[in-house]
Amino acid sequence: GVHDVDDCMATLDAAVAAGITDPTRVAVVGGSHGGFLSGHLIGQYPEAFKAAVMRNPVCNISLMVGISDISDWCYVETFGCEEGRRRCKAVPTPEDLDRMWQVSPVAHVHKVKAHVTLMLGAKDRRVPFPDGLQY
């Protein structure tokens, strides 16, 4: 939710500067990790996006870590590769859960201004639908 967001915003800025994008009509679409990125973009840059479609988005890593079949991803996304692998365990510490919340799109949801469509899969084991409901 940091470097990838920065890359997307730099690309959007370049497209607007080149005159190939109308900044009043920008939307973002993504699924799974792309939904995670979309949630971060509309929360961190609420003025830049008019709409978003998020399919099976990772919205709250602190929730997902306990219900997904890829809990190791939650640690790696939160702490980076080496530290995430070192910290990864069946029961996260309160400190780990707090950090997972802080790096989740749901931490920015109160700033969202875009129209949002959520597409949640009832049987998705990677990003179970209760995670998307957090948004």
Side-chain angles (χ1 to χ4, degrees), residues 28-76:
V28 63
V29 177
S32 195
H33 191 272
F36 172 79
L37 180 55
S38 297
H40 269 297
L41 286 164
I42 63 174
Q44 292 182 41
Y45 293 91
E47 302 300 329
F49 298 92
K50 302 301 177 211
V53 177
M54 297 163 35
R55 185 185 54 78
N56 295 344
V58 176
C59 294
N60 182 350
I61 297 174
S62 62
L63 169 70
M64 186 175 150
V65 70
I67 61 175
S68 174
D69 68 346
I70 55 167
S71 59
D72 56 326
W73 177 89
C74 298
Y75 284 95
V76 170

Side-chain angles (χ1 to χ4, degrees), residues 54-61 63-64 67 101 105-106 109 116-122 127-135:
M54 297 163 35
R55 185 185 54 78
N56 295 344
V58 176
C59 294
N60 182 350
I61 297 174
L63 169 70
M64 186 175 150
I67 61 175
W101 168 266
V106 75
V109 73
V116 178
T117 298
L118 290 171
M119 300 169 61
L120 307 176
V127 187
F129 78 92
D131 188 84
L133 295 176
Q134 295 283 303
Y135 209 77

Side-chain angles (χ1 to χ4, degrees), residues 6 9 13 26 32 53 58 63 68 77 90-93 112 120 122:
D6 292 344
M9 292 309 297
D13 291 344
V26 177
S32 195
V53 177
V58 176
L63 169 70
S68 174
E77 185 64 33
V91 179
T93 66
V112 172
L120 307 176

